[in-house]
Amino acid sequence: MDKLVIEGGKPLSGTIRIHGAKNAALPILAATLLAREPVTLRNIPKLLDIEVMLDIMRDLGCAVLRRGDVVTIDGTVADSSHVPERLMRLMRSSVFLMGPLLARFGEVQVYQPGGCAIGERKIDLHLRGLAALGAKIEETGSRIVCKAARLTGAEISLDFPSVGATENIMMAAVMADGRTTIIGAAREPEIQDLQRFLNAIGAKVRGAGTDTITVDGTDNLGGCDFQIIPDRIVTGTAMVAAAATRGEVTLEGAESAHLISLIHVMRRAGVHIETEDGIIRVGAKGRPRAVDRIVTSPYPAFPTDMQAQLMVLLSLAGGVSVIKETVFEGRFKHVDELCRMGADIRIDLNSAIVRGVPRLYGTAVEATDLRAGAALVIAGLAAHGRTIVEQVHHIDRGYDEIERMFASLGGDISRVSDG
Ligand code: EPZ
């Protein structure tokens, strides 16, 4: 298992380019199964989750070719609609395949993806949406089989603006008979990118980015050449690392419009942030100010995927901050590790009370999930002394060689492979 070795205390400085968005690429890769011609996707990052998804697509019979960050997929030769359990358990995002496979083959077999370090991760909203489109759903143990000779457009109301459920329903609906309306839809930029992709292959999707999305079914979906949006969470992670190490960093190929809530919170903490077309500049000289209340909530509110990273910055602030996590029930696994580095954080139900300390101290810590791991890397970069981050495979799911990104900004960080 790889480890990251970090000698902290050095302010980050320099310029990096942000890679493509994992959470846009995953549903769009699944959606290529709907195209009747080959599709070229650009800005596809090299991440564990992406490689697992490409393996699943190959397992389904698709022709997949990767050249750098360009992936060409011919889904027309796919000949299976059964997602293997071993791959399903490896990555819960394979649940995105349900909609396209059901629309394409009239049947799909998947397995309950199971919970993970951050929560139960139910898929009841996905299944309810597909059933509303006419799918018959049979659950036997962890195996789920959905069948529908033909899907029919419907009005679907989501109890919670689930990103994955919104995306699955959008993809299932593009070939359904008639109109589908999703009420209470998620509004994330990745949903908007999926709409852009679906319309590029000839679908008729409207409203992504608002809480109501309509899809008018059509059969003639062709191919396209499409570029994925930049990863807003990788962008935010680099921004927080620059501030926590009191550095000066420029991020290129970044979309500041996708990070308004984070930018506002960081400015309240005293971080200097300038934005212009495709560029974000972040600088911090002194200790951050405490921010008394941050609540994670669906987009455009403060993103749950930035909660752990921001907690590191506020653990160094002058004063007490409160962070409330309302999206996932188990997303505080990083707190114990940060406290072992000298942070003063107390959990009260789904809120973290963060009493800022002057500095953190390096020690051996363990990544428990993707964003908690990224937060521990930021803490190591800001801390005094050496930090060893273990279980780095969690981080590799969402960051393309995180050590290279921060080393190019002057961070003293390297990867040690245990073979
Ligand atoms: C997506 O996960 C992202 N993953 C997550 O990013 C992100 O944290 C999350 O959206 C929220 O923004 C991808 O896009 C691949 P949800 P998803 O459905 O779709 C409950 C990362 O770090 N829920 O919006 O799984 C669920 O339990 C990852 O990149 C149901 O109850 O998120 C959770 O509490 C982590 N029933 C909440 O909704 C359902 O059917 C949010 O889930 C579906 C979800």
Side-chain angles (χ1 to χ4, degrees), residues 16-289:
I16 55 169
R17 170 159 287 278
I18 300 298
H19 64 60
K22 167 176 83 79
N23 291 351
L26 289 169
I28 288 171
L29 284 167
T32 62
L33 283 159
L34 298 164
R36 296 290 167 83
E37 293 163 25
V39 165
T40 296
L41 299 175
R42 300 178 188 281
N43 204 20
I44 299 289
K46 282 203 178 58
L47 305 171
L48 277 185
D49 274 12
I50 299 290
E51 297 315 306
V52 171
M53 181 61 100
L54 294 178
D55 284 346
I56 293 173
M57 307 291 290
R58 291 184 186 100
D59 221 81
L60 296 172
C62 300
V64 177
L65 182 65
R66 185 197 260 278
R67 284 187 307 281
D69 70 354
V70 180
V71 170
T72 305
I73 291 189
D74 180 359
T76 62
V77 292
D79 54 11
S80 166
S81 64
H82 291 192
V83 181
E85 182 163 18
R86 62 180 175 78
L87 290 175
M88 191 87 199
R89 301 197 70 76
L90 203 52
M91 183 187 65
R92 68 174 312 282
S93 307
S94 20
V95 74
F96 290 137
L97 288 157
M98 288 169 71
L101 287 170
L102 184 61
R104 168 84 181 271
F105 292 104
E107 191 234 328
V108 57
Q109 177 177 303
V110 295
Y111 294 83
Q112 278 289 351
C116 65
I118 62 177
E120 193 184 346
R121 312 299 295 271
K122 293 190 296 185
I123 60 167
D124 56 321
L125 297 174
H126 298 242
L127 298 176
R128 221 182 293 160
L130 298 180
L133 295 174
K136 293 284 168 284
I137 295 167
E138 293 156 30
E139 294 186 62
T140 316
S142 67
R143 194 182 63 168
I144 302 168
V145 177
C146 305
K147 288 181 181 168
R150 187 80 188 152
L151 294 171
T152 307
E155 184 172 88
I156 297 165
S157 179
L158 291 177
D159 310 346
F160 176 85
S162 157
V163 172
T166 301
E167 291 166 340
N168 243 331
I169 296 165
M170 284 167 75
M171 293 187 281
V174 293
M175 289 164 63
D177 288 332
R179 169 166 289 191
T180 295
T181 303
I182 307 171
I183 298 161
R187 300 164 53 185
E188 275 70 4
E190 293 76 25
I191 308 264
Q192 300 170 58
D193 217 29
L194 177 60
Q195 171 177 284
R196 245 177 6 103
F197 172 78
L198 291 172
N199 290 343
I201 62 173
K204 299 185 178 72
V205 187
R206 298 285 175 275
T210 75
D211 60 7
T212 304
I213 295 174
T214 58
V215 183
D216 290 316
T218 176
D219 273 333
N220 55 341
L221 299 173
C224 71
D225 186 319
F226 185 85
Q227 169 132 341
I228 303 280
I229 53 173
D231 195 305
R232 62 191 167 101
I233 305 303
V234 171
T235 305
T237 303
M239 289 168 66
V240 170
T245 58
R246 304 188 186 181
E248 293 276 342
V249 166
T250 298
L251 306 174
E252 292 180 342
E255 182 46 78
S256 56
H258 295 163
L259 286 162
I260 300 298
S261 56
L262 173 70
I263 291 170
H264 287 179
V265 166
M266 290 182 71
R267 283 177 173 155
R268 284 169 59 196
V271 180
H272 179 73
I273 297 175
E274 286 171 18
T275 63
E276 60 182 280
D277 190 23
I279 305 272
I280 300 177
R281 290 189 186 85
V282 183
K285 289 273 179 290
R287 198 174 173 189
R289 289 195 296 266

Side-chain angles (χ1 to χ4, degrees), residues 19-24 26 47 49 117-118 190 231-238 303-312 325 328 331 333-334 338 367-379 394-400 402:
H19 64 60
K22 167 176 83 79
N23 291 351
L26 289 169
L47 305 171
D49 274 12
I118 62 177
E190 293 76 25
D231 195 305
R232 62 191 167 101
I233 305 303
V234 171
T235 305
T237 303
T304 175
D305 291 350
M306 281 303 306
Q307 179 257 104
Q309 300 92 311
L310 183 76
M311 191 182 287
V312 177
E325 172 59 58
F328 288 106
R331 206 167 198 175
K333 297 275 189 316
H334 44 286
L338 291 177
T368 51
D369 60 270
L370 166 53
R371 306 304 174 184
L376 293 174
V377 170
I378 295 173
H394 288 295
I395 304 173
D396 294 337
R397 294 185 53 194
Y399 296 84
D400 182 359
I402 196 168

